Amino acid sequence: MLRAKLTRCPRVVASSSSLPASLLHTSPVLQSFRKRRSRVQEQANLSKRQERERLEQTDRPHIVLGTRPSTPERWENSDLAKILVTEKDILDSPVMPLTPTLEHDIQTPTYYNYGLGAQERELLFETLPVLSVEGTSMRRPMDDPKQLLENHKLADEHERRKTVMLARLVDLRNANARGIAFENRRRIISEFSESGKPNDTGRSEVQAALLTLQIRNLWDHLNKYKKDISNRRSLRRLVHQRAKILKYLKRVDQDRYDNVLERLGLEPESVEGELVV
């Protein structure tokens, strides 16, 4: 009888103890909870990574234009975009009057054709008219001051008409696409050349800027004529040529490379790595 009671005693004690029972019942629950929490966290991290990759794919720099869709102002604020002349800019410029007036100065064009620079403009519209009027007046010496003044006035009026005709002739409004491209190339060479070496067409920055102008013009052309296969090959060649020049500049001088990317409005991803156009 006593032996039977002693054999039941450990069972009673074991069943009355709460610690082993609680450990036995809660450990699987904790393990399943931790697994479920880690699985939920992993799914959240995976969704975040997929969303980040999707945003990176949608906001990748354009392989041709070199700008991101989210930051189009990078090109608009670049030095290259500010100096280029477009057809819209030419059409929006004021039209010069046909006849000059003596009360006002002669209105000169906003954009000049044939690559006229500041020195040529000063020579054609400021120096030569004055010399022509003086030469015409001195060619006919007059004793009468009134007659001399009248001849000077007639010569000045005639010279002003000639100057207006010349100004209308050299207006960039009369040029075609080649004339506009010539003026843009002249501006690029002048802007991107080194200060001590004007018109340095062999400089890497100048070549990259000229190629960017050609690429953008060709891209606009291909958007209008999508079946122009020949120019599509030319576009690929120009993009790879620009990347080659910029990669060379990066190897030579990192500061010049970063500076020219900013001035051209290009992202580094549009130049570095494998380019598939």
Side-chain angles (χ1 to χ4, degrees):
M1 191 72 177
L2 181 60
R3 185 179 298 175
K5 290 183 178 181
L6 289 175
T7 55
R8 290 185 197 150
C9 184
R11 297 180 183 176
V12 176
V13 174
S15 63
S16 62
S17 178
S18 61
L19 183 59
S22 62
L23 290 176
L24 181 63
H25 293 291
T26 57
S27 58
V29 176
L30 288 175
Q31 291 178 1
S32 62
F33 173 73
R34 290 171 182 170
K35 289 182 180 179
R36 185 168 62 253
R37 186 175 61 181
S38 63
R39 187 165 54 251
V40 171
Q41 186 67 30
E42 184 180 357
Q43 292 177 355
N45 294 337
L46 180 62
S47 61
K48 288 181 181 179
R49 185 167 66 251
Q50 291 176 352
E51 180 67 17
R52 185 168 59 252
E53 292 177 355
R54 187 186 64 82
L55 291 176
E56 289 177 356
Q57 290 293 331
T58 55
D59 200 32
R60 289 180 58 187
H62 198 281
I63 193 62
V64 175
L65 302 180
T67 55
R68 298 183 186 275
S70 60
T71 57
E73 64 275 3
R74 183 177 176 87
W75 162 252
E76 298 171 359
N77 298 330
S78 64
D79 294 343
L80 180 59
K82 292 178 181 178
I83 65 173
L84 293 181
V85 180
T86 62
E87 186 177 356
K88 183 178 181 302
D89 296 334
I90 298 173
L91 295 178
D92 293 341
S93 61
V95 181
M96 293 178 299
L98 292 174
T99 56
T101 57
L102 297 177
E103 293 80 8
H104 302 283
D105 294 334
I106 296 176
Q107 183 179 356
T108 55
T110 306
Y111 305 104
Y112 289 86
N113 201 352
Y114 307 113
L116 294 179
Q119 296 180 353
E120 291 82 5
R121 293 196 295 268
E122 182 180 0
L123 177 64
L124 291 175
F125 298 103
E126 296 181 12
T127 305
L128 287 180
V130 176
L131 294 178
S132 298
V133 172
E134 292 180 356
T136 304
S137 301
M138 295 176 61
R139 194 177 301 118
R140 298 178 180 178
M142 294 289 178
D143 297 335
D144 189 2
K146 293 184 178 180
Q147 187 65 30
L148 182 62
L149 182 62
E150 184 68 22
N151 291 339
H152 187 277
K153 183 178 179 181
L154 292 176
D156 183 60
E157 183 179 356
H158 178 67
E159 194 63 31
R160 289 173 70 88
R161 285 198 300 267
K162 289 168 56 179
T163 305
V164 169
M165 294 174 60
L166 178 62
R168 292 179 64 88
L169 181 64
V170 299
D171 192 351
L172 193 57
R173 193 184 301 270
N174 301 324
N176 54 8
R178 290 187 176 182
I180 299 175
F182 179 85
E183 173 64 19
N184 284 329
R185 288 195 299 270
R186 187 191 66 82
R187 289 173 171 239
I188 288 173
I189 295 172
S190 176
E191 178 70 20
F192 286 85
S193 296
E194 197 174 359
S195 58
K197 297 180 180 179
N199 301 326
D200 186 7
T201 56
R203 187 174 172 83
S204 299
E205 288 87 342
V206 175
Q207 295 181 14
L210 291 173
L211 287 172
T212 303
L213 172 64
Q214 296 181 37
I215 288 170
R216 284 192 165 266
N217 290 340
L218 197 55
W219 177 257
D220 294 338
H221 169 79
L222 291 175
N223 285 332
K224 296 179 181 178
Y225 306 99
K226 299 183 182 300
K227 295 184 178 180
D228 194 348
I229 306 300
S230 176
N231 277 324
R232 287 189 180 276
R233 291 194 294 268
S234 300
L235 180 64
R236 297 189 189 99
R237 179 179 56 81
L238 292 176
V239 170
H240 285 277
Q241 186 177 355
R242 181 181 64 182
K244 184 178 180 181
I245 292 174
L246 291 175
K247 288 178 182 178
Y248 162 77
L249 187 60
K250 182 181 180 180
R251 292 195 306 269
V252 174
D253 194 334
Q254 180 70 34
D255 294 336
R256 288 174 58 189
Y257 170 76
D258 296 334
N259 186 31
V260 74
L261 286 184
E262 186 70 23
R263 298 186 67 187
L264 296 179
L266 299 177
E267 295 287 345
E269 292 84 353
S270 63
V271 177
E272 303 169 359
E274 183 180 0
L275 301 180
V276 181
V277 185

